[in-house]
Structure formats: structure tokens, C-alpha cells
Amino acid sequence: MLTSTREQVRLDEAREKKIAWKKWGPYLSERQWGTVREDYSDDGNAWSYFSHDQARSRAYKWGEDGIAGISDDRQGLCWSLAVWNGQDPIIKERLFGLTNAEGNHGEDVKEYYFYVDSTPTHSYMKYLYKYPQRAYPYEDIVQTNAARTRTEMEYELLDTGVFEGDRYYDIFVEFAKAAPEDILIKISVANRGPDTATLHVLPHLWFRNTWWLNPEAPRPALRELPNKGEALVVEASHPDLGVRYLYAEGAGEFLFTENETNAERLFGVPNPTPYVKDGINDAVVHGRREKVNPDLVGTKAAAHYELTVAPGETEVIRLRLSDVAPSADQGPFTREYEQTFASRKQEADEFYTAITPPKLNADQANVLRQALAGMLWTKQYYYFDLDHWLEEHEANPILGGRRQFRNREWYHMVNSDIISMPDKWEYPWFAAWDLAFHTSALNMVDPDFAENQLSLMLSDLYLHPNGQIPAYEWNFGDVNPPVHAWAALINYGIAREPGEYDLAFLKNTFNKLLLNFNWWVNRKDPQGRNVFSGGFLGLDNIGVFDRSSELPSGGYLDQADGTAWMAFFSQCMLEMAIEIARKDPTYQDFILKFVQHFLWIAGSMDRVGDNHDELWDEEDGFFYDVLTLPDGHAQRLKVRSMVGLLPLTATALIPQEVIDEFPDIADRVRAFIAKHPDLVANIHPLTQPGVQGRRLLAVVNEDKLRRILARMLDEERFLSPYGIRSLSRWHLEHPYQIDVDGAQYQVQYLPGESDSGMFGGNSNWRGPIWMPVNLLLLRALRQFHEYYGDGFKIECPTGSGNMLTLLEVAREIATRLTRIFLQDESGRRAVYGGAEKFQTDPHWRDYILFYEYFHGDSGAGLGASHQTGWTGTVARLLQLLGEQQPGETLNRGLRFN
């Protein structure tokens, strides 16, 4: 339960009184170019069709992007930062990065920016952008990365030397809401270099181009009002949003143009209007004043400041975006302006103090706060009308469009919502299983938003009529692990006090997930044996082959992780059914249904007898995928990876009181087991009571658990100083190899970036540490401990002679995970590896980046640099570790349901 603070009052007002505290927020993308939504190519190459170079000149159709940007919750009106150092060939109005083809490890943003702070209503926010005073090295970054191979490190912006001598600006952008529709904006420009330097600051205000859908509809308009006071004022009039005003204190001028494509520059054809999207850029950089509208009207505008900043000094710009019209009685920048900023900052401090355990030190508290700030900054307005988009591409099946086209089967989808993104530059689109993990941390600060995110994915405008949850925009029909039921249990059970649980949410979620569960059973068990496939299942390149493509050998693949996910899904549905049935007896039969489903699935993973086509390998004591060739021959693919650890996560506890509460169901379960004894022969015995009479549903019995944990807790195998690796380090010297029709395939331990192009080559599951699966393993350890109690001990690390309870093992792994981000004894952070600027410079070292995954040996950050989605869940770990006393359980938060 969140402690009552002024920010919590705003959250309550937003929920109970519908006061629109969340109407405005950081809902602008950081990259709209290169997305599937904006792709109108014939070959589906979204990266090439709409490039960064085109973005300044080409109007988007489905969204907008910017730096430190905000918008309303339908992205009608947008604001963002733009700057020019007098050296760059273009204004910096959006972040630059490499496309998937340009990067030697896939797409990658090449900028330094940080989500420093945010409250859940965005009543206070702070963002930092580091801007070089030298010319940004666009060409050098592209060419040098292009020349590097997949076995080499990426060429980063610091490597170019552009920050040498500290010749850069720290540009802080802060926001404070005086009221839901009254937003104060402060831009602070600090010169970190040795010389006085000049910077053009161009805060932009513009309308998303919605009139392309209906050219005859009323068009929004910006116009400068007569100057009667201390600030220039632009009036923004929108047919749906109404009227807003942007006040710019001390601005030299406002520049106006239209949010329309410069067809002349891009396509060599005349422009329909003399004022186009890149007009402000051309006026400032090239002095072409004819490119901006002298009548001071348009759909895109920028205040123009030219600052001269002395070394070590900071210049401040104040703006205000408000629904309050100019008044002769009171200006927008009175004493109240600074008082509001001070109050909102203090209220943000109070809010985070309330959720931060006092035991955490300053560094731990800082990491927790920035992790959550990043998650709140990574909200984005996501708009995609698939019916219309497919019709534009002549691929709408309702209209008889072409048969082979991306996302053709998803014509029912109309997405127009604020959604938590994995990374607003690298992944500026929702990903279903990522989103489920996001909610496990978002509910620390905003349970309503977390709950809303899960409900969105199961609503009629997202969930396919056949029951499939959309994966991500590159292929909505791809298959992500089924973790929404688990996430629903978290959001149901953690965020509220007993008696305040939202049963309606749980029941609605359960009913929708029944569709999804049936989709899995009907679509992903091709042989009808309760053994599941599913493709890559979020683990990209972890397999010997690309598991989402046709196997080079032919035949089919039984997946240990796919089957474990379905056992886990069954258990979560079971727990939901129990909770609902306590209030609604008509749901009691679902308890039996999901116990049976679990037993069918768990029993299939290790059948009675010696079977070469089953997932458990008795000799190795590990789970593997099984390849069945067209001639019927079955072969285990003996890669010791996260695929074989995930069966541990299929655990659920049934308290004795539940058995007592539903005696008829308990009798029917016992009858089912008696009739099908083979199903339970090799799994944990369901009828055997543990601590306090609890029953345990688990794929692994005690013998299997000990054998798997012996590998998982071995520092020469899975246990890294920074968490559990995705592939055993044993494969460094013992790579797994298989020959198929004369071609050799190999999996070798690779702790850093991927050395292949499988799944785009921009992620790696062959060694690095990934936060989400580590969280599920921690949950499993906690579940096992609640069943076995302190009497179950295991050596950790393996070979050390140090015997720990499973709860102590969970705490050890959680501590190692948090160690990625925290300063060690020498003040260094593992996440920053050998980047000395980040390790030692006082203007860099305490700003944290939450990467997508981490080096399996060193803990250095890899992949997307702003994946404060599932990596932001480290905030939950820090909170739990800070709350726990020695010997105490890691409470229900680490159990996560």
C-alpha cells in the first residue's frame, strides 16, 4: 500500500475524481522513424524506408518524436527540446542512432541522456541531455560501425573524442505541474567546458499531423499573440484539445512553419505549401528566413534563444504551457513559478522516501529512484489503426488484399493508448511479455496504471479474436511467453491492503486469459501430447536453430521452455481461479481444470520409463529441447541454457486452508491422480504436505531440484557475480555442436554481444544476464522455501561448502543482480564496464542507465541502453532487500503472487 503523500493524493484524485493529473506526460516517442507504423515500402524494410535523415523533413503519420518531449494523452499537441551548437549540420531535435543494418550489433542510439526523476502523475519530471559543443560526428559513427565486425565492440559516441576536454553542455529539462493543465518548464544549460560557448535553444511546440486522415477536417493552428509582457506567447488552438498557451520568457523570437513533408527535398517534387517541417532548421542553420512564415502562424513553432554560457556557469530558460490565457493582472513567471517547482520537487522527494526502505544507503536509493523514473519516462502514446494501415498497403483481408504481408491477420487492432515501452528509442513499440514485467515495478508507484496496461493487452482492440496476445509490431503474430496471468496476480495481490483487492479486475483478466490459454493449447501443442513449441519465445538466439523459422533438418521441435511456460501458466490460472472461487463458487470447476492441465503438462516432461523423446535427461539431470526428425528419430539438443532452468519456475503453493475450503474439488483431484498415477510419478508429489500443511505443485521433485540447482549455483556454469547467466559458462570450452545435412551448427558461451545475425543480432541469450528470467527464478526459490522450509539447504556457490536455505540463495542472487548498478568498494559500477567517463566523472557517474541485458562475467550493460522496462524491476529487488530483516521471508513481493 502506498503511503499517503501529496503525490499519492493526486493519484487518488485521478482515479476517484477523474481529475486529469495524467493527461500530460512524457508521451512522445524518442524515435518514430524506422518503425513499422511509418513503413510504406514494398519490401517491408522499415529501417530503410524512413530514415533519420528524412525525419526532419518528412511528416509522420502515426506519432511524433523528440528530446525530453511531452504531449497530451492523445498526442494532439507536442512539446520538446531542440538545440544547435553552431557546428552541427542540422538542429538536434531528435536523438540519433544506427539502424539495424548500420550497427555491428544491430540498432543502437548514439546519444547520452538520462531519465533523472519523475512522479507517477508527472507532477515533477527531470531529464538530462549531454550535448557536445563540437560538431556531432554523424558520418564517423556510421562509417566506423559499418567497418566493425560482430566480434568487435560497438563504436560509441565517447569513442569519437567529441567529449574530450569536457567540451559539452549538460542540458537539464524540468517540468512541474501547477495544475493538471498548467505545466511549468525549466531548461538549465550548464557549460562543462573550459571556454565560453554559444548555444541556440529552440523549444518546439507543434501539432501531430492528424489532418492527413481527413484533409477537410478543421485544422489546428498556432499563432503568436501580441507581446504585452515579459514573455512571448503562442496560442495553440486544436479542434478537440481546445486552446493552450506557450509562454517563453526572454525569447528572442518565435519561428513558425507547418508540420508537412518537404517533398521537394525528399522526392524532387513541388511542395504544396511554402512552409514545411524542416523550415525552422533551415532558417536557423542556413539563415534561410524565407523558410519560416512571417505571418507568425503555422502548425509547428519554436522559441529561439541564443545563449552565451561561461565555463562552469549555467543559464536558465523558463517556459509555461498552460490553458490559462494571458492576463494583464498576473504574468506567467511570478514568484509562484519558483515556489511551484520547489513544492513539486519536495513532494517528489516525499513520495520516493515513502517507498524507499530506510535501510537502503544513498546509492541504493538513487538507483531505485532512477529505475522507477525511467519506467515512468518510458510511457508513450502508441497509435496504430491496423485496419486503415493494411488498407493503405492493399493488404486488408476483409477487402481481399494481398495474402503475404506483415500483420495481415491483425486487422481488428486499433491501438490509441498510453503504453509502457521497453525503450522509447530502440523499441518504441509495446512488447507483450516485456510489458507484463514492467507492471511488477510500475505497481510500486502507480497500481492503477500497471493494472491498465495488463487490461489493454486483453481488450478487444488488442487481443486477437482467436485468443492470441499481440507480440510486437514487427510481427504481432509472433509468440511471447505467457506471463500475463502471473503479472495479474502481482497487481492484484501486492499493491493494495487486504480487503481492497480488485476482484473485478482479476475476474475479467481470468476470463480473457481463458481465451489465450485455449489458443496455446490448440495452436502450440502440434502433436497433442501436452508438449509445447512456440518459436523463439522471447529468448531470441538461445537455441541451436532459429526456433521461429522452419527447421533446417525438417521435423519439429519440442521446447522445454515452451512446455515449462505452459505449466507455469496453468499454475497462475489455478491461483486466480482459487481466489475468484472464494467469492464466486461458479468458478470452482476451474480449480480442477487447471490442476489437471498442470499435471498433464508436467507429466509429459518426464514420462514413466526410459524415453528418448522427452525433455528431461536423467543422466545429465537437466531439461533440453528435443528435435524430432522427419523419420521419427528424436534427439535432445544438449544446450545447458535458461531453457533448462525455466522448468524451475513452474511452482505453485496451495495452503491447507484452500484444501479445507474446497473439499469436493480436493476429492476430485485425488480421484484424478489415482486414475493417472503415471502423471505424478516423476514430479513433486502433490499430496505430500510441507511446512504448515502447504501442498506444492512443481515440475521438479526434490531430487531434480537439487540436481538442477547444483548447476545453476555453480560459478563456473550459471552463477555469475551479477546473477544467473542465460547459458552455462561450461559451453565456453565445450561448445554444443550438431551436424544437419552436412551443415554444422554450434552454440558457445558468449557473455557479451551476439556474434550472429539471428533475430537481428541486437540481443544475445547465449551467456548474458537478463533481469526478467532471474526474477522468475527468485520467485521459484521463494516458493520452494515456503514449502520445504529451513530444513532444505544447498551448497551456494556449488563447491564452496557454504550451505544455505533456498531463501538465503534467493537473497544472494538478488544481491548479485543489484550489484550490477551499485558502486563497489572502489566507487565503480559494473554496469559501466570500462567506460571511464561514467566511472569517475562527477557529472556522469551517478546517472544510471538500465540496459537490456548484462555481460555474463563483468556485469557491463549491453543491448538497448534505456530498457528501463523489465530492467527497471531492479527497483523492486532493492525495495524487497531493504525491507527484509535477516532470517525473514522475502515477503509476497518476491513471491510475486
Side-chain angles (χ1 to χ4, degrees):
M1 183 67 175
L2 296 174
T3 303
S4 181
T5 60
R6 184 66 191 91
E7 176 62 13
Q8 183 58 46
V9 170
R10 281 189 282 268
L11 287 167
D12 294 341
E13 289 175 345
R15 180 181 66 256
E16 297 167 5
K17 300 180 181 179
K18 307 304 178 187
I19 298 176
W21 282 110
K22 302 179 194 176
K23 182 177 180 63
W24 293 84
Y27 306 145
L28 220 57
S29 177
E30 286 166 347
R31 178 177 61 81
Q32 183 68 15
W33 59 273
T35 61
V36 168
R37 281 156 288 155
E38 301 294 343
D39 179 22
Y40 288 79
S41 65
D42 291 329
D43 60 359
N45 190 336
W47 285 110
S48 297
Y49 177 76
F50 201 137
S51 66
H52 175 272
D53 180 63
Q54 293 177 335
R56 72 177 182 276
S57 305
R58 190 172 184 172
Y60 297 126
K61 285 189 169 184
W62 298 98
E64 295 290 341
D65 58 18
I67 299 172
I70 64 171
S71 77
D72 64 276
D73 58 5
R74 287 296 174 266
Q75 208 170 90
L77 182 63
C78 309
W79 182 98
S80 75
L81 173 73
V83 288
W84 185 54
N85 57 15
Q87 306 297 318
D88 284 350
I90 56 174
I91 288 173
K92 179 71 72 172
E93 55 181 313
R94 60 185 46 81
L95 301 169
F96 176 74
L98 301 178
T99 68
N100 183 269
E102 290 173 333
N104 60 323
H105 295 292
E107 64 270 25
D108 189 41
V109 67
K110 300 298 183 183
E111 307 270 12
Y112 298 116
Y113 57 102
F114 305 87
Y115 307 124
V116 179
D117 209 356
S118 180
T119 59
T121 66
H122 311 296
S123 58
Y124 178 76
M125 298 194 297
K126 188 175 184 179
Y127 180 106
L128 168 61
Y129 175 61
K130 291 181 177 287
Y131 185 46
Q133 294 172 6
R134 299 181 178 91
Y136 185 94
Y138 292 100
E139 194 171 321
D140 179 24
I141 285 177
V142 173
Q143 291 181 354
T144 303
N145 274 285
R148 293 194 175 187
T149 67
R150 292 193 181 275
T151 60
E152 295 178 278
M153 297 284 287
E154 293 178 349
Y155 186 58
E156 303 292 2
L157 187 57
L158 276 171
D159 298 331
T160 69
V162 74
F163 284 95
E164 284 184 7
D166 290 329
R167 295 182 185 275
Y168 70 94
Y169 303 100
D170 269 342
I171 305 175
F172 295 93
V173 184
E174 294 176 273
F175 303 85
K177 290 182 180 179
E181 296 277 3
D182 190 5
I183 305 164
L184 317 184
I185 307 171
K186 186 184 294 185
I187 303 171
S188 302
V189 179
N191 180 358
R192 301 300 184 203
D195 301 319
T196 297
T198 299
L199 180 69
H200 296 257
V201 182
L202 298 126
H204 275 51
L205 185 72
W206 74 102
F207 294 109
R208 177 168 62 90
N209 187 329
T210 55
W211 50 93
W212 71 273
L213 284 165
N214 185 4
E216 305 304 318
R219 186 174 294 200
L222 300 171
R223 68 184 182 100
E224 185 172 331
L225 299 182
N227 185 10
K228 295 181 179 179
E230 58 187 318
L232 298 182
V233 186
V234 166
E235 178 188 77
S237 179
H238 190 281
D240 298 322
L241 192 61
V243 180
R244 302 293 187 280
Y245 304 90
L246 179 65
Y247 301 88
E249 182 184 43
E253 61 179 339
F254 265 104
L255 304 171
F256 288 81
T257 188
E258 300 291 340
N259 188 10
E260 298 278 9
T261 296
N262 185 345
E264 182 178 342
R265 174 182 177 251
L266 297 177
F267 311 119
V269 298
N271 287 322
T273 170
Y275 309 111
V276 289
K277 185 176 178 180
D278 55 12
I280 294 171
N281 176 86
D282 290 352
V284 174
V285 176
H286 304 296
R288 300 193 62 182
R289 299 289 300 189
E290 75 276 11
K291 295 294 184 178
V292 292
N293 194 333
D295 296 331
L296 306 181
V297 296
T299 51
K300 179 182 178 182
H304 189 187
Y305 296 84
E306 188 171 349
L307 303 181
T308 300
V309 190
E313 297 298 318
T314 299
E315 296 290 333
V316 177
I317 292 170
R318 302 197 300 179
L319 303 104
R320 190 167 193 156
L321 181 60
S322 178
D323 60 349
V324 179
S327 168
D329 298 330
Q330 183 172 347
F333 301 104
T334 62
R335 194 171 171 185
E336 164 262 349
Y337 183 97
E338 293 299 335
Q339 289 174 340
T340 299
F341 257 108
S343 294
R344 296 298 173 268
K345 178 66 169 65
Q346 180 181 348
E347 291 161 5
D349 292 343
E350 291 170 353
F351 179 80
Y352 279 103
T353 297
I355 66 170
T356 303
K359 285 176 58 178
L360 297 188
N361 62 35
D363 188 40
Q364 292 169 320
N366 177 52
V367 171
L368 181 150
R369 185 165 176 169
Q370 287 193 47
L372 292 170
M375 299 199 71
L376 293 166
W377 265 99
T378 312
K379 295 179 183 179
Q380 178 184 312
Y381 174 70
Y382 185 86
Y383 180 45
F384 202 5
D385 183 337
L386 267 293
D387 182 63
H388 187 94
W389 186 81
L390 288 167
E391 185 176 341
E392 286 187 286
H393 291 76
E394 298 180 348
N396 193 318
I398 300 298
L399 304 176
R402 46 183 163 157
R403 293 182 179 274
Q404 299 298 321
F405 198 78
R406 174 182 284 140
N407 295 326
R408 184 177 185 270
E409 298 81 11
W410 293 82
Y411 54 87
H412 76 287
M413 286 181 66
V414 182
N415 305 157
S416 179
D417 297 283
I418 304 300
I419 305 180
S420 175
M421 299 290 139
D423 180 315
K424 288 204 296 187
W425 194 94
E426 188 149 342
Y427 305 120
W429 28 260
F430 69 84
W433 85 301
D434 298 56
L435 186 59
F437 286 100
H438 298 185
T439 65
S440 70
L442 284 168
N443 62 33
M444 293 173 62
V445 290
D446 192 351
D448 296 312
F449 180 70
E451 198 171 282
N452 164 267
Q453 296 298 282
L454 294 171
S455 296
L456 268 184
M457 293 299 109
L458 300 176
S459 68
D460 61 312
L461 295 179
Y462 289 77
L463 185 71
H464 196 283
N466 66 19
Q468 185 178 10
I469 295 174
Y472 47 86
E473 71 174 31
W474 287 92
N475 183 2
F476 285 124
D478 221 332
V479 184
N480 277 179
V483 290
H484 272 65
W486 164 76
L489 285 165
I490 300 170
N491 286 277
Y492 175 76
I494 290 180
R496 307 176 196 279
E497 292 292 343
E500 297 183 359
Y501 296 145
D502 189 349
L503 190 66
F505 161 74
L506 194 68
K507 185 181 286 190
N508 182 63
T509 302
F510 180 83
N511 292 338
K512 296 292 183 66
L513 285 172
L514 283 174
L515 296 174
N516 184 239
F517 189 89
N518 289 336
W519 177 85
W520 271 90
V521 170
N522 293 325
R523 298 292 184 97
K524 296 302 170 182
D525 178 15
Q527 310 303 314
R529 298 181 294 116
N530 295 296
V531 178
F532 291 82
S533 56
F536 86 116
L537 287 176
L539 308 189
D540 294 20
N541 67 337
I542 202 165
V544 180
F545 314 116
D546 181 342
R547 300 192 302 172
S548 286
S549 299
E550 184 176 341
L551 298 173
S553 60
Y556 60 89
L557 191 68
D558 291 335
Q559 296 183 212
D561 56 338
T563 308
W565 284 124
M566 281 303 289
F568 178 63
F569 194 0
S570 300
Q571 292 169 333
C572 292
M573 293 295 281
L574 167 63
E575 293 193 54
M576 294 172 76
I578 291 171
E579 187 66 24
I580 297 168
R582 285 175 155 169
K583 302 291 177 61
D584 186 345
T586 63
Y587 279 74
Q588 288 190 30
D589 279 352
F590 286 114
I591 299 175
L592 178 64
K593 170 184 171 66
F594 286 106
V595 170
Q596 290 176 343
H597 267 297
F598 167 75
L599 292 175
W600 287 119
I601 296 167
S604 74
M605 298 182 75
D606 181 14
R607 306 192 307 279
V608 172
D610 184 14
N611 304 289
H612 297 289
D613 63 343
E614 63 192 12
L615 304 170
W616 173 254
D617 188 297
E618 179 62 26
E619 182 180 353
D620 287 4
F622 208 71
F623 288 96
Y624 300 113
D625 287 348
V626 176
L627 173 65
T628 301
L629 299 172
D631 62 5
H633 175 72
Q635 177 180 356
R636 292 193 188 100
L637 303 179
K638 293 194 174 186
V639 180
R640 294 169 188 168
S641 72
M642 188 60 66
V643 166
L645 296 181
L646 283 171
L648 293 177
T649 67
T651 61
L653 291 171
I654 308 297
Q656 179 64 45
E657 58 264 29
V658 170
I659 299 170
D660 296 339
E661 189 172 351
F662 301 105
D664 179 59
I665 298 297
D667 288 342
R668 293 164 70 186
V669 169
R670 283 189 281 266
F672 180 82
I673 292 173
K675 186 175 181 179
H676 303 283
D678 287 356
L679 293 182
V680 297
N682 293 325
I683 68 172
H684 181 83
L686 179 58
T687 57
Q688 181 177 313
V691 173
Q692 297 182 8
R694 298 182 183 112
R695 305 304 196 274
L696 176 67
L697 275 72
V699 166
V700 299
N701 55 26
E702 183 174 348
D703 177 66
K704 286 188 172 77
L705 176 61
R706 289 187 178 279
R707 296 181 72 187
I708 295 173
L709 288 180
R711 292 189 188 278
M712 191 180 90
L713 302 179
D714 188 335
E715 292 183 310
E716 293 302 313
R717 287 173 168 77
F718 283 102
L719 183 60
S720 162
Y722 305 100
I724 303 299
R725 301 177 175 106
S726 52
L727 186 77
S728 173
R729 200 173 188 278
W730 184 81
H731 285 302
L732 178 65
E733 302 296 336
H734 307 87
Y736 178 79
Q737 297 178 336
I738 184 173
D739 291 315
V740 177
D741 295 332
Q744 188 176 83
Y745 296 84
Q746 175 175 290
V747 175
Q748 187 172 27
Y749 176 70
L750 189 66
E753 297 279 15
S754 173
D755 62 359
S756 79
M758 189 184 294
F759 269 89
N762 61 344
S763 68
N764 182 24
W765 283 83
R766 295 184 175 182
I769 299 150
W770 291 76
M771 191 69 68
V773 286
N774 269 262
L775 291 179
L776 293 182
L777 291 171
L778 293 178
R779 169 196 175 273
L781 289 168
R782 191 268 182 201
Q783 298 269 63
F784 283 123
H785 176 264
E786 286 207 353
Y787 176 80
Y788 288 111
D790 290 342
F792 186 114
K793 293 193 175 184
I794 195 159
E795 198 175 29
C796 179
T798 300
S800 67
N802 186 34
M803 303 301 292
L804 300 180
T805 68
L806 293 177
L807 183 64
E808 290 168 334
V809 172
R811 183 179 180 87
E812 174 63 22
I813 295 171
T815 301
R816 291 183 183 221
L817 288 165
T818 62
R819 200 180 290 157
I820 292 171
F821 306 97
L822 300 173
Q823 289 181 327
D824 63 16
E825 298 79 3
S826 61
R828 299 177 72 85
R829 302 183 193 275
V831 64
Y832 289 138
E836 288 304 311
K837 195 74 172 172
F838 278 95
Q839 296 288 16
T840 59
D841 193 307
H843 296 301
W844 294 68
R845 66 189 179 198
D846 292 328
Y847 297 113
I848 313 300
L849 293 177
F850 298 87
Y851 284 81
E852 185 178 6
Y853 53 100
F854 303 90
H855 194 283
D857 297 334
S858 71
L862 301 168
S865 56
H866 290 73
Q867 184 118 353
T868 36
W870 61 26
T871 301
T873 55
V874 69
R876 171 69 72 187
L877 290 182
L878 284 165
Q879 186 186 57
L880 294 168
L881 290 170
E883 290 174 345
Q884 184 195 8
Q885 300 297 324
E888 286 184 343
T889 182
L890 287 182
N891 75 26
R892 59 183 174 174
L894 225 171
R895 179 183 172 192
F896 284 123
N897 60 312

